[in-house]
Amino acid sequence: MNTVDRMSMTSQELAVLGMQNVAYVKPIDAEGKPAYAICAADGTQMALAASRDLAFAVIRQNDMEPASVH
């Protein structure tokens, strides 16, 4: 699978692959303010962060690989 294919995968496709060491970051609106949801590959929201950089740092601190969802 090339880089482009991995970047266009849905959260369900990631879950099917069993990528338990991957978390994705998705921009959301949290109570009227921009935020970033940190989600497991199956789509379960695990945390919120105020910035994308902070979300990626939290994921890496937990020995996981971050991925962006647009």
Side-chain angles (χ1 to χ4, degrees):
M1 182 177 303
N2 66 37
T3 303
V4 174
D5 290 340
R6 276 185 259 136
M7 291 176 58
S8 64
M9 294 179 74
T10 67
S11 59
Q12 289 177 337
E13 290 169 330
L14 283 172
V16 169
L17 289 175
M19 298 182 81
Q20 296 182 15
N21 293 328
V22 173
Y24 69 87
V25 176
K26 176 172 76 170
I28 64 166
D29 180 64
E31 299 180 10
K33 296 182 181 181
Y36 293 83
I38 300 171
C39 302
D42 69 358
T44 303
Q45 185 174 313
M46 300 184 292
L48 285 177
S51 72
R52 183 179 179 276
D53 289 340
L54 179 58
F56 272 59
V58 168
I59 292 168
R60 288 188 180 112
Q61 286 176 346
N62 285 281
D63 298 322
M64 298 178 82
E65 186 64 32
S68 288
V69 175
H70 301 279

